[in-house]
Amino acid sequence: MMKNRTIYKLFFVFYIFIESLSLHAQNSENNPYKELEQISIIDQKVMMPMRDGIRLATDIYRPKGEGKYPIIFSRTPYNFNRWVNGKERTRTAKQALEAVKRGYAYVVQNERGRYFSEGEWDILGVPLTDGYDAFTWMKKQEWSNGKIGTIGCSSTAEWQMAVAALDHPSHAAMVPQGYGAGVGKVGPYNEQGNWYRGGVEQMLFFSWLYGVEHDKFKPRIPAGATQEDLIRISRFYDLAPKNPAVDMTEALKHLPLQDILKNINGKEEIFDKMIRRTPNHEDWFKGGLYHADDNFGVPSFWFASWYDVSVGPNVALFNHVRAHGKDAEVRDNQYLVIAPTLHCGYTRATENTVVGERSVGDARLNYEEQIYAWFDLWLKGEKNDFKEKTPRVQYYTMGSNKWQYSETFPPKEAKFFTYYLNSNGNANTLNGDGTLSTKRPGKDNPDSYMYDPMNPVTSYGGNVCCTGNAVKGGAFDQSEMEKREDILVYTSEPLKKGIEVTGFIESTLYVSSDVKDTDITIKIIDVYPDGKAYNLDETIQRARYREGYDKEVFMEKDNVYKIQLSPMTTSNYFEKGHRIRIEISSSNFPRFARNLNTGGKNYDEKESVIAHNKIHHSKKYPSHIKLPIVLK
């Protein structure tokens, strides 16, 4: 009996030993750093010098061997440290491993003032110097072939456009994704990096800055610390402080706007200066943002998404570069993908992609294959078939749920059709008498509604980013929201045949009010036969900026003013039996800041005035939208 127990114990110990070896082997197999160590030279916490002596923390992964390699470069304000609180993270390693396997050096760097990088941080860093200096440093390395491609999404993309305007000789190609916060003033959009839409503050940065801005009094690594010191320190201390979690649903309600971060004990310096800038303030044009009068000298593969905060400006920039790039080669080498996802959500598309509440079908795409073919073409000089295989524009049409292809955006087959707003003066709520049709209205029966800034229309879904828990992005059924009396609803008859709307949707409204200044909001919606009403895009316009963002022109009581809103953008197939709907109101909060209707600066005010607004529609005041309908 004792002998059997001894044998059993030995067997059990041996079993545990074998299992532990197996688990260790699995962990090793699943850890990309292990494979990277086999095939690459890993050089972390390289302190790359800038022209003013500031050093930026940089990790470099390059193939072993004596060759010279093209570089894929990612510059970011986010934390890519290998260790977080003593635990190893592998996201960066996975990206580096894929690049190295394909014959690239992969370089990732923090913007100045972020984590282990020296200096003071500002939004977008100092791209006009730091980005250019980084290219020059990498070009000179003995392992570099002198060709650099940039890649990244959101704040890892937004700095790329301003640097592309400098046309560094080594900046051979770029892949910016969800890059709206790098776009200043392009085409009909004057967003200044997503801070504004139609002259109204987009509140995403209020939340984002609370989450990402580090305090200047945080512990700093001593100047001159060696690479060995930095690597050792980074194993247990990643310089990644976090503010306590905050309910942004409540935080963003605080007035005045200028005190929102102060009220939640956030860092205020960057926010304080930005909240005071008007849409055309000179500081927006001092570097960091790309504007239409800047040069552009880099072949680019752009990625946008329908439910991102800045799809309109993103697509407008693509069109601008195609028309006004530095030379014919640059103009002819611009490609675009528009996915039906949220901000930076491209690769999260599935066989049944659901965005908000609406299923848009199988929206997957071979992103990695296309991106590396692009880099192979420009960084390695391979004569591959990227141009033959890759359409100029790949866009996903919701409703018909399919990828489509075009040489332009909108496609050349898209033609504008005008749809007029009309009613007998009672378009309030989805149960009102508001109509949308190609028939021009006759007598003016304006629709009236009351806008109370203390009871704004709540943002429900939409094309958003970065607002914490305050707004959940995507398509949601708006029908319950449309029972509010301060929402005007204009709906077409059920469609006798399906139509595809793809492109920029223009909106012209005739508005009067009893206050000096107010906002006008609009949404375009696909209404299903069962009444579900899914939002596609939305925009807003502050009345004082209706004549341009370089001046403020206030309204006079009961005068009627023509207001043209920045375009909405989508691709949606409205099936037979569906209806097209437009919603109009004066708030969409907290996606957009509330107008307090006083005519004051708004950001420093706590008291509001109730506005009584009217939308006019007649032969004299033909409020309308223009839909780009694809004729096939």
Side-chain angles (χ1 to χ4, degrees):
M1 187 72 172
M2 285 295 290
K3 183 178 179 181
N4 288 341
R5 286 180 179 175
T6 301
I7 292 173
Y8 175 78
K9 288 179 179 179
L10 287 171
F11 175 79
F12 181 75
V13 170
F14 179 73
Y15 173 80
I16 295 299
F17 174 70
I18 293 299
E19 285 296 305
S20 66
L21 287 177
S22 174
L23 183 60
H24 176 74
Q26 289 176 21
N27 288 339
S28 296
E29 290 173 4
N30 294 333
N31 187 340
Y33 281 113
K34 300 297 183 184
E35 191 171 350
L36 270 172
E37 289 168 358
Q38 301 281 329
I39 66 173
S40 71
I41 297 171
I42 300 175
D43 204 5
Q44 295 177 327
K45 297 297 178 283
V46 175
M47 300 303 286
M48 187 184 294
M50 301 291 104
R51 64 185 64 182
D52 60 357
I54 292 295
R55 303 181 306 162
L56 304 187
T58 309
D59 286 1
I60 301 170
Y61 306 84
R62 55 190 173 90
K64 288 182 176 179
E66 300 299 322
K68 293 182 179 292
Y69 304 99
I71 298 167
I72 295 176
F73 181 47
S74 178
R75 182 164 168 263
T76 181
Y78 298 123
N79 187 15
F80 62 81
N81 197 42
R82 179 173 177 174
W83 302 93
V84 174
N85 295 324
K87 294 182 179 180
E88 195 172 45
R89 296 198 310 179
T90 59
R91 180 177 178 181
T92 297
K94 291 176 181 177
Q95 295 166 338
L97 179 60
E98 187 62 36
V100 171
K101 281 181 174 180
R102 293 175 180 264
Y104 290 92
Y106 184 80
V107 180
V108 58
Q109 180 181 85
N110 267 139
E111 293 177 0
R112 63 169 58 208
R114 299 295 291 175
Y115 304 100
F116 285 83
S117 287
E118 298 170 349
E120 297 299 326
W121 180 70
D122 200 346
I123 289 181
L124 297 177
V126 193
L128 298 186
T129 57
D130 287 357
Y132 198 93
D133 291 352
F135 294 152
T136 299
W137 186 93
M138 287 184 285
K139 177 185 178 182
K140 292 179 180 179
Q141 302 309 299
E142 62 181 5
W143 44 265
S144 169
N145 78 345
K147 298 290 187 181
I148 301 167
T150 53
I151 191 170
C153 196
S154 192
S155 288
T156 310
E158 291 145 4
W159 65 280
Q160 296 181 49
M161 282 74 71
V163 174
L166 300 182
D167 193 22
H168 190 285
S170 285
H171 194 191
M174 55 190 259
V175 182
Q177 304 164 318
Y179 46 91
V183 183
K185 189 174 183 180
V186 174
Y189 299 97
N190 192 90
E191 300 213 345
Q192 308 300 16
N194 292 156
W195 189 268
Y196 282 106
R197 169 70 57 84
V200 183
E201 298 92 346
Q202 302 198 75
M203 300 189 81
L204 69 96
F205 273 120
F206 298 29
S207 171
W208 187 80
L209 281 169
Y210 175 79
V212 304
E213 190 173 3
H214 295 170
D215 199 283
K216 62 185 177 183
F217 298 113
K218 73 176 184 179
R220 299 291 183 105
I221 301 299
T226 67
Q227 183 180 15
E228 182 182 8
D229 290 334
L230 294 172
I231 291 173
R232 186 183 69 255
I233 292 169
S234 72
R235 291 176 62 84
F236 66 89
Y237 187 40
D238 67 347
L239 300 177
K242 292 183 179 179
N243 269 318
V246 166
D247 180 359
M248 282 296 165
T249 303
E250 293 300 318
L252 296 178
K253 293 178 182 177
H254 184 81
L255 292 173
L257 286 176
Q258 66 182 13
D259 291 340
I260 282 180
L261 290 191
K262 180 180 179 181
N263 187 55
I264 53 178
N265 298 310
K267 192 170 184 288
E268 303 169 60
E269 285 85 347
I270 292 175
F271 176 79
D272 280 354
K273 67 182 181 182
M274 294 183 75
I275 193 66
R276 287 167 170 75
R277 292 181 190 172
T278 57
N280 220 46
H281 193 281
E282 62 181 8
D283 285 350
W284 295 118
F285 301 91
K286 289 182 177 179
L289 294 174
Y290 178 87
H291 302 283
D293 56 355
D294 293 329
N295 195 5
F296 197 98
V298 182
S300 305
F301 193 11
W302 308 87
F303 288 82
S305 47
W306 291 131
Y307 284 96
D308 196 358
V309 67
S310 55
V311 62
N314 286 1
V315 177
L317 177 56
F318 163 78
N319 286 338
H320 170 79
V321 175
R322 284 199 73 191
H324 303 288
K326 171 190 167 186
D327 53 40
E329 182 181 56
V330 170
R331 293 192 294 272
D332 191 49
N333 286 287
Q334 305 296 321
Y335 291 79
L336 173 68
V337 173
I338 315 175
T341 61
L342 299 174
H343 181 68
C344 293
Y346 315 101
T347 58
R348 291 191 285 275
T350 65
E351 188 175 358
N352 178 33
T353 304
V354 178
V355 186
E357 294 177 336
R358 186 189 189 195
S359 170
V360 295
D362 187 350
R364 294 173 294 181
L365 192 69
N366 58 336
Y367 292 105
E368 191 170 272
E369 177 185 334
Q370 292 192 39
I371 288 170
Y372 274 104
W374 175 253
F375 281 146
D376 289 345
L377 175 66
W378 292 103
L379 305 186
K380 292 182 177 180
E382 290 187 2
K383 297 187 182 301
N384 61 22
D385 57 0
F386 176 89
K387 292 186 179 183
E388 289 71 30
K389 288 179 61 177
T390 310
R392 177 75 63 182
V393 179
Q394 300 170 75
Y395 66 93
Y396 195 86
T397 300
M398 299 172 288
S400 58
N401 297 345
K402 62 183 180 182
W403 285 101
Q404 300 205 85
Y405 314 105
S406 175
E407 180 60 23
T408 62
F409 191 90
K412 292 178 181 178
E413 297 83 4
K415 306 298 180 185
F416 273 125
F417 287 80
T418 302
Y419 283 72
Y420 296 96
L421 282 59
N422 205 354
S423 76
N424 290 318
N426 300 293
N428 311 72
T429 82
L430 81 170
N431 298 314
D433 61 5
T435 63
L436 188 67
S437 73
T438 56
K439 182 180 179 181
R440 196 179 181 102
K443 183 180 178 182
D444 188 22
N445 295 305
D447 294 300
S448 304
Y449 63 96
M450 182 180 75
Y451 162 47
D452 180 0
M454 298 299 106
N455 182 29
V457 173
T458 304
S459 303
Y460 187 52
N463 316 69
V464 300
C465 162
C466 317
T467 52
N469 66 326
V471 187
K472 186 177 181 181
F476 289 86
D477 179 10
Q478 305 292 305
S479 58
E480 192 65 30
M481 294 285 297
E482 291 167 347
K483 294 178 181 178
R484 290 182 59 126
E485 289 286 336
D486 54 358
I487 297 178
L488 304 181
V489 179
Y490 301 89
T491 310
S492 74
E493 291 295 319
L495 296 172
K496 294 181 180 179
K497 64 177 183 178
I499 62 170
E500 178 189 328
V501 173
T502 295
F504 299 101
I505 300 165
E506 299 178 1
S507 309
T508 301
L509 303 177
Y510 291 85
V511 179
S512 63
S513 182
D514 62 351
V515 295
K516 293 173 63 177
D517 187 43
T518 193
D519 293 342
I520 300 297
T521 66
I522 192 167
K523 291 182 184 179
I524 184 165
I525 293 167
D526 184 346
V527 184
Y528 283 49
D530 63 1
K532 286 187 172 63
Y534 290 116
N535 50 299
L536 299 171
D537 199 5
E538 58 200 11
T539 192
I540 191 169
Q541 181 64 45
R542 186 148 288 176
R544 69 174 73 181
Y545 294 120
R546 67 190 179 277
E547 295 183 18
Y549 296 103
D550 57 343
K551 56 188 173 183
E552 297 181 355
V553 183
F554 294 100
M555 298 188 295
E556 295 182 10
K557 184 177 180 180
D558 297 331
N559 282 1
V560 179
Y561 299 97
K562 180 180 181 179
I563 293 182
Q564 292 180 296
L565 293 88
S566 59
M568 297 180 285
T569 318
T570 195
S571 180
N572 187 75
Y573 183 75
F574 293 82
E575 293 187 52
K576 177 182 178 181
H578 286 221
R579 292 177 291 164
I580 304 168
R581 175 171 292 170
I582 291 295
E583 277 184 22
I584 295 173
S585 191
S586 286
S587 53
N588 183 347
F589 176 81
R591 178 182 175 182
F592 301 108
R594 294 167 285 179
N595 192 332
L596 301 184
N597 298 328
T598 66
K601 293 179 180 178
N602 207 66
Y603 67 77
D604 61 354
E605 298 179 286
K606 295 177 67 174
E607 303 300 322
S608 66
V609 175
I610 292 175
H612 298 87
N613 297 333
K614 292 182 181 179
I615 302 297
H616 298 259
H617 35 74
S618 64
K619 289 183 178 179
K620 184 178 181 180
Y621 304 124
S623 291
H624 63 272
I625 62 170
K626 290 185 176 180
L627 295 180
I629 296 176
V630 177
L631 303 176
K632 295 183 178 179

